[in-house]
Amino acid sequence: MAAAEPAVPALPGSSGVGTGAPSGTVPVLFCFSVFARPSSVPHGAGYELLIQKFLSLYGDQIDMHRKFVVQLFAEEWGQYVDLPKGFAVSERCKVRLVPLQIQLTTLGNLTPSSTVFFCCDMQERFRPAIKYFGDIISVGQRLLQGARILGIPVIVTEQYPKGLGSTVQEIDLTGVKLVLPKTKFSMVLPEVEAALAEIPGVRSVVLFGVETHVCIQQTALELIGRGIEVHIVADATSSRSMMDRMFALERLARTGIIVTTSEAVLLQLVADKDHPKFKEIQNLIKASAPESGLLSKV
């Protein structure tokens, strides 16, 4: 959980800002959502101790990936106000933890500076089993070429490579940021989280590979749980059965994940025919991407 500590001046006459209270502990009413729970904190407790107390009282109900502000009930105003900078508890008071409003719907915008590509488990042993695997490889390679042209970081995983082999030879991994083995279905490994933290301003992940209903789905759900917008490239992801593939794409779209196509992604990333890399991207998409069975399900 990230909490914002606003810099506002102290409020004369506000409850909890007075002085002269005895030492020891001070009763405080901690409010969150529809709940209000009385507790106590040491005299002089500040912002950090209040946050810790909120976590101890409501930890199982707090979304740790959201930002919050702590507010103090001010008798002078008859309402809650943002916690004054440098506030210290000195008398009985009432505080609340308020989640900052976030936009529930996303616009789906992609920019190279805030985007990372995730290539999931495009391995040799999957070749005979995955529907339209040749098409998926072709489109995946097109996306990786686009990433190199636009300078977009690429993270690649391989599911149990000792048994399932390495990434297929047709996929050129030149210049990718990471190639990681995994046994977990989701790509969200500690190394991947660390890599994302090193890239400033990451807002979106373009996700493709196999299988749609397993590793792709679980990766996407973990990423949106961390506040990252996810774009799944429908013509670059598949499963062993079309039923699993199509139901997964439908489910993911209903959760707010953006299901899109390779051409839409690449053209959104350049955004303008005057972009210095437009001609190179245009050359990638001159031939339409294979439909890989998607049109038969529309």
Side-chain angles (χ1 to χ4, degrees), residues 58-134:
Y58 298 107
D60 58 335
Q61 299 169 60
I62 294 175
D63 181 351
M64 303 295 284
H65 302 290
R66 295 192 66 174
K67 291 186 177 181
F68 292 82
V69 63
V70 178
Q71 294 186 323
L72 170 74
F73 188 81
E75 297 287 354
E76 178 182 0
W77 302 105
Q79 66 180 24
Y80 284 95
V81 297
D82 292 344
L83 195 70
K85 187 176 178 64
F87 171 80
V89 176
S90 60
E91 63 182 18
R92 179 191 298 262
C93 62
K94 181 165 64 171
V95 293
R96 71 176 179 181
L97 189 66
V98 182
L100 297 179
Q101 293 299 312
I102 59 172
Q103 193 173 4
L104 296 180
T105 57
T106 58
L107 295 176
N109 291 325
L110 285 172
T111 58
S113 62
S114 63
T115 300
V116 178
F117 280 19
F118 276 27
C119 176
C120 183
D121 305 350
M122 302 277 274
Q123 293 160 256
E124 191 60 44
R125 287 288 294 275
F126 290 126
R127 190 184 296 270
I130 300 296
K131 295 291 187 183
Y132 300 98
F133 193 60

Side-chain angles (χ1 to χ4, degrees), residues 8-9 17 36 39 54 69 73 100 105 127 134 142 148 154 159 166-167 242 264 266 268 288:
V8 297
V17 187
S39 187
F54 273 113
V69 63
F73 188 81
L100 297 179
T105 57
R127 190 184 296 270
R142 180 180 296 201
R148 282 193 292 275
V154 177
Q159 180 73 18
S166 300
T167 302
M242 288 297 288
L266 292 172
Q268 194 170 15
S288 295

Side-chain angles (χ1 to χ4, degrees), residues 118-123 126 155-161 164 180-190 192 207-223 226 237-238 240 251:
F118 276 27
C119 176
C120 183
D121 305 350
M122 302 277 274
Q123 293 160 256
F126 290 126
I155 294 174
V156 179
T157 58
E158 296 173 342
Q159 180 73 18
Y160 185 53
L164 298 173
L180 292 169
K182 67 181 179 71
T183 57
K184 180 182 177 181
F185 294 140
S186 169
M187 290 181 69
V188 186
L189 308 170
V192 171
L207 175 61
F208 55 96
V210 299
E211 288 186 69
T212 313
H213 67 297
V214 186
C215 298
I216 295 295
Q217 180 170 271
Q218 292 184 31
T219 300
L221 293 174
E222 279 209 59
L223 287 171
R226 286 160 169 73
T237 180
S238 190
R240 287 171 295 154
R251 175 198 174 184

Side-chain angles (χ1 to χ4, degrees), residues 13 53 101 109 150 164 166 190 241 274 292:
K53 180 62 76 169
Q101 293 299 312
N109 291 325
L150 298 172
L164 298 173
S166 300
S241 84
D274 291 331
S292 67

